[in-house]
Amino acid sequence: MLVVTALAIVRLRNLFAVAMLSGVFSLLSALLFVAMDAVDVAFTEAAVGAGISTVLVLGTLALTSRVEKPASHSPLLPLFVVFVTGAVLIYGTLDMPNFGSADAPAMTHVAPDYLKRTPEEIDVPNVVTAILASYRGYDTMGETAVVFTAGIGVLLLMSGLRRRREDDDDDDDDADADAQGAEEEGGVY
Amino acid sequence: MGDSATFEFVVGHANYWLFSVLMMTGLYVVVARGNLVKKIVGLNMFQTSVFMLYISMGRVDGGTAPIFPVDMEIDPAVIYSNPLPHVLILTAIVVGIATTALGLSLIIRIREEFGTIEEDDILVAERILAAEDDKAHGEAMGGRT
């Protein structure tokens, strides 16, 4: 289903449908996260991926255009690049441990340690919360800094928008007034 | 014997292959499509499949979500999945939405400046602008006229 949604996103030209389908894609991936026992990630993905980012894309569409133009160049070169990259990625997975195996390298390093020490040191039932806020608190602080920077960037980029719009409108009004004045003058003479 | 081992290998790796396919679909949208909004959507798809790859690495057979009972009476027989990828991906999701927001606002500015969000049209407009610049300032800069 994820693959079908992804292919539909590739094919569709209507950007409104693309925005909606990307929300669907996020929701489906959230379901997959639940199936893989990652509930915290699932609800973040559902809220952020399916909620906020769809709203942001729709807002952008409202301010820009809604239909994509057909591609002007041939898709052969991108397809070639994509297939080569995909083949390399799949070749890389051949050495990976089987899905769900408990003796994978990712399971044997720090993860059991976190699981063992969280009840003693942090005393929070949710281990993900404990790691996020305590063991890896610096990561979270860095994340906040990134979000803050991005927020400032968005504000700076968008701040002049309304003012410039109003300027444009004023110009239009002036032009209208001129046109009207010309008509009236034309009427008098 | 050999057949069952192959089967186990394929089933154990099908998740990685699925995520690679999704990743490459996202990459294709980013590379081949000219529309900037669609590029951002493709980038999000790419990102989400990387998240799925990480989460699938943290999964243990017969495991459950890494949340202890509220009374903290932990049964040692229960297997919990790896919480570390979950934490990393939570951070990544939030950073991802920040970059998406920044990219979309950049698109809005580009649309204001050039009147289009198609890459080809933007390239044409830029070439015209550069030619005008050359005409206006080329001589003063000691180069083309």
Side-chain angles (χ1 to χ4, degrees), chain B residues 115-129:
Chain B
T116 174
I117 54 168
E118 300 287 340
E119 200 180 19
D120 300 340
D121 297 349
I122 293 170
L123 286 178
V124 170
E126 255 186 348
R127 211 165 297 142
I128 293 171
L129 280 180

PDB file of all heavy atoms in Angstrom, chain B residues 115-129:
ATOM      1  N   GLY B 115       7.497  34.311 -10.204  1.00  0.00           N
ATOM      2  CA  GLY B 115       6.161  34.044 -10.711  1.00  0.00           C
ATOM      3  C   GLY B 115       5.917  32.617 -11.124  1.00  0.00           C
ATOM      4  O   GLY B 115       4.943  32.322 -11.809  1.00  0.00           O
ATOM      5  N   THR B 116       6.794  31.696 -10.730  1.00  0.00           N
ATOM      6  CA  THR B 116       6.597  30.296 -11.092  1.00  0.00           C
ATOM      7  C   THR B 116       7.275  29.415 -10.053  1.00  0.00           C
ATOM      8  O   THR B 116       8.167  29.872  -9.332  1.00  0.00           O
ATOM      9  CB  THR B 116       7.189  29.995 -12.479  1.00  0.00           C
ATOM     10  OG1 THR B 116       7.102  28.601 -12.714  1.00  0.00           O
ATOM     11  CG2 THR B 116       8.626  30.417 -12.547  1.00  0.00           C
ATOM     12  N   ILE B 117       6.833  28.135  -9.955  1.00  0.00           N
ATOM     13  CA  ILE B 117       7.553  27.195  -9.085  1.00  0.00           C
ATOM     14  C   ILE B 117       8.026  25.989  -9.888  1.00  0.00           C
ATOM     15  O   ILE B 117       8.264  24.938  -9.349  1.00  0.00           O
ATOM     16  CB  ILE B 117       6.703  26.741  -7.884  1.00  0.00           C
ATOM     17  CG1 ILE B 117       5.366  26.183  -8.337  1.00  0.00           C
ATOM     18  CG2 ILE B 117       6.484  27.868  -6.922  1.00  0.00           C
ATOM     19  CD1 ILE B 117       4.628  25.472  -7.236  1.00  0.00           C
ATOM     20  N   GLU B 118       8.142  26.168 -11.208  1.00  0.00           N
ATOM     21  CA  GLU B 118       8.690  25.098 -12.047  1.00  0.00           C
ATOM     22  C   GLU B 118      10.162  25.366 -12.295  1.00  0.00           C
ATOM     23  O   GLU B 118      10.552  26.466 -12.682  1.00  0.00           O
ATOM     24  CB  GLU B 118       7.955  25.048 -13.390  1.00  0.00           C
ATOM     25  CG  GLU B 118       6.474  24.789 -13.273  1.00  0.00           C
ATOM     26  CD  GLU B 118       6.161  23.358 -12.903  1.00  0.00           C
ATOM     27  OE1 GLU B 118       7.034  22.494 -13.101  1.00  0.00           O
ATOM     28  OE2 GLU B 118       5.065  23.117 -12.382  1.00  0.00           O
ATOM     29  N   GLU B 119      10.980  24.338 -12.089  1.00  0.00           N
ATOM     30  CA  GLU B 119      12.419  24.521 -12.173  1.00  0.00           C
ATOM     31  C   GLU B 119      12.845  25.042 -13.541  1.00  0.00           C
ATOM     32  O   GLU B 119      13.670  25.960 -13.632  1.00  0.00           O
ATOM     33  CB  GLU B 119      13.094  23.173 -11.897  1.00  0.00           C
ATOM     34  CG  GLU B 119      14.531  23.290 -11.476  1.00  0.00           C
ATOM     35  CD  GLU B 119      15.133  21.918 -11.232  1.00  0.00           C
ATOM     36  OE1 GLU B 119      14.554  20.939 -11.727  1.00  0.00           O
ATOM     37  OE2 GLU B 119      16.155  21.849 -10.564  1.00  0.00           O
ATOM     38  N   ASP B 120      12.257  24.491 -14.620  1.00  0.00           N
ATOM     39  CA  ASP B 120      12.675  24.881 -15.963  1.00  0.00           C
ATOM     40  C   ASP B 120      12.434  26.372 -16.191  1.00  0.00           C
ATOM     41  O   ASP B 120      13.302  27.093 -16.691  1.00  0.00           O
ATOM     42  CB  ASP B 120      11.914  24.067 -17.011  1.00  0.00           C
ATOM     43  CG  ASP B 120      12.183  22.584 -16.851  1.00  0.00           C
ATOM     44  OD1 ASP B 120      13.199  22.251 -16.233  1.00  0.00           O
ATOM     45  OD2 ASP B 120      11.371  21.787 -17.338  1.00  0.00           O
ATOM     46  N   ASP B 121      11.216  26.842 -15.786  1.00  0.00           N
ATOM     47  CA  ASP B 121      10.882  28.243 -15.994  1.00  0.00           C
ATOM     48  C   ASP B 121      11.806  29.144 -15.195  1.00  0.00           C
ATOM     49  O   ASP B 121      12.211  30.222 -15.662  1.00  0.00           O
ATOM     50  CB  ASP B 121       9.432  28.497 -15.581  1.00  0.00           C
ATOM     51  CG  ASP B 121       8.471  27.703 -16.442  1.00  0.00           C
ATOM     52  OD1 ASP B 121       8.942  27.148 -17.452  1.00  0.00           O
ATOM     53  OD2 ASP B 121       7.287  27.638 -16.092  1.00  0.00           O
ATOM     54  N   ILE B 122      12.167  28.682 -13.976  1.00  0.00           N
ATOM     55  CA  ILE B 122      13.057  29.491 -13.148  1.00  0.00           C
ATOM     56  C   ILE B 122      14.415  29.618 -13.807  1.00  0.00           C
ATOM     57  O   ILE B 122      15.008  30.702 -13.837  1.00  0.00           O
ATOM     58  CB  ILE B 122      13.191  28.863 -11.753  1.00  0.00           C
ATOM     59  CG1 ILE B 122      11.863  28.945 -11.009  1.00  0.00           C
ATOM     60  CG2 ILE B 122      14.266  29.571 -10.953  1.00  0.00           C
ATOM     61  CD1 ILE B 122      11.841  28.151  -9.747  1.00  0.00           C
ATOM     62  N   LEU B 123      14.905  28.509 -14.396  1.00  0.00           N
ATOM     63  CA  LEU B 123      16.207  28.558 -15.069  1.00  0.00           C
ATOM     64  C   LEU B 123      16.170  29.550 -16.224  1.00  0.00           C
ATOM     65  O   LEU B 123      17.095  30.344 -16.410  1.00  0.00           O
ATOM     66  CB  LEU B 123      16.584  27.162 -15.571  1.00  0.00           C
ATOM     67  CG  LEU B 123      17.021  26.202 -14.462  1.00  0.00           C
ATOM     68  CD1 LEU B 123      17.319  24.830 -15.047  1.00  0.00           C
ATOM     69  CD2 LEU B 123      18.240  26.733 -13.748  1.00  0.00           C
ATOM     70  N   VAL B 124      15.068  29.519 -17.000  1.00  0.00           N
ATOM     71  CA  VAL B 124      14.939  30.449 -18.129  1.00  0.00           C
ATOM     72  C   VAL B 124      14.951  31.881 -17.618  1.00  0.00           C
ATOM     73  O   VAL B 124      15.697  32.740 -18.129  1.00  0.00           O
ATOM     74  CB  VAL B 124      13.638  30.153 -18.905  1.00  0.00           C
ATOM     75  CG1 VAL B 124      13.377  31.244 -19.914  1.00  0.00           C
ATOM     76  CG2 VAL B 124      13.734  28.802 -19.579  1.00  0.00           C
ATOM     77  N   ALA B 125      14.139  32.147 -16.572  1.00  0.00           N
ATOM     78  CA  ALA B 125      14.057  33.503 -16.043  1.00  0.00           C
ATOM     79  C   ALA B 125      15.417  33.969 -15.547  1.00  0.00           C
ATOM     80  O   ALA B 125      15.808  35.134 -15.750  1.00  0.00           O
ATOM     81  CB  ALA B 125      13.043  33.558 -14.913  1.00  0.00           C
ATOM     82  N   GLU B 126      16.162  33.040 -14.924  1.00  0.00           N
ATOM     83  CA  GLU B 126      17.475  33.414 -14.401  1.00  0.00           C
ATOM     84  C   GLU B 126      18.422  33.752 -15.532  1.00  0.00           C
ATOM     85  O   GLU B 126      19.212  34.687 -15.430  1.00  0.00           O
ATOM     86  CB  GLU B 126      18.049  32.265 -13.582  1.00  0.00           C
ATOM     87  CG  GLU B 126      17.982  32.542 -12.106  1.00  0.00           C
ATOM     88  CD  GLU B 126      18.672  31.470 -11.300  1.00  0.00           C
ATOM     89  OE1 GLU B 126      18.994  30.416 -11.881  1.00  0.00           O
ATOM     90  OE2 GLU B 126      18.850  31.694 -10.107  1.00  0.00           O
ATOM     91  N   ARG B 127      18.329  32.998 -16.623  1.00  0.00           N
ATOM     92  CA  ARG B 127      19.216  33.264 -17.759  1.00  0.00           C
ATOM     93  C   ARG B 127      18.928  34.655 -18.321  1.00  0.00           C
ATOM     94  O   ARG B 127      19.839  35.413 -18.646  1.00  0.00           O
ATOM     95  CB  ARG B 127      19.027  32.179 -18.826  1.00  0.00           C
ATOM     96  CG  ARG B 127      20.287  31.905 -19.601  1.00  0.00           C
ATOM     97  CD  ARG B 127      20.170  30.616 -20.379  1.00  0.00           C
ATOM     98  NE  ARG B 127      20.015  29.445 -19.528  1.00  0.00           N
ATOM     99  CZ  ARG B 127      19.220  28.416 -19.821  1.00  0.00           C
ATOM    100  NH1 ARG B 127      18.507  28.432 -20.916  1.00  0.00           N
ATOM    101  NH2 ARG B 127      19.145  27.386 -19.019  1.00  0.00           N
ATOM    102  N   ILE B 128      17.620  34.981 -18.407  1.00  0.00           N
ATOM    103  CA  ILE B 128      17.265  36.310 -18.922  1.00  0.00           C
ATOM    104  C   ILE B 128      17.810  37.391 -18.003  1.00  0.00           C
ATOM    105  O   ILE B 128      18.405  38.386 -18.460  1.00  0.00           O
ATOM    106  CB  ILE B 128      15.732  36.421 -19.047  1.00  0.00           C
ATOM    107  CG1 ILE B 128      15.239  35.473 -20.138  1.00  0.00           C
ATOM    108  CG2 ILE B 128      15.324  37.848 -19.350  1.00  0.00           C
ATOM    109  CD1 ILE B 128      13.751  35.346 -20.199  1.00  0.00           C
ATOM    110  N   LEU B 129      17.651  37.186 -16.680  1.00  0.00           N
ATOM    111  CA  LEU B 129      18.158  38.169 -15.720  1.00  0.00           C
ATOM    112  C   LEU B 129      19.663  38.341 -15.866  1.00  0.00           C
ATOM    113  O   LEU B 129      20.178  39.467 -15.858  1.00  0.00           O
ATOM    114  CB  LEU B 129      17.827  37.718 -14.302  1.00  0.00           C
ATOM    115  CG  LEU B 129      16.412  37.992 -13.806  1.00  0.00           C
ATOM    116  CD1 LEU B 129      16.261  37.492 -12.391  1.00  0.00           C
ATOM    117  CD2 LEU B 129      16.120  39.480 -13.878  1.00  0.00           C
TER     118      LEU B 129
END
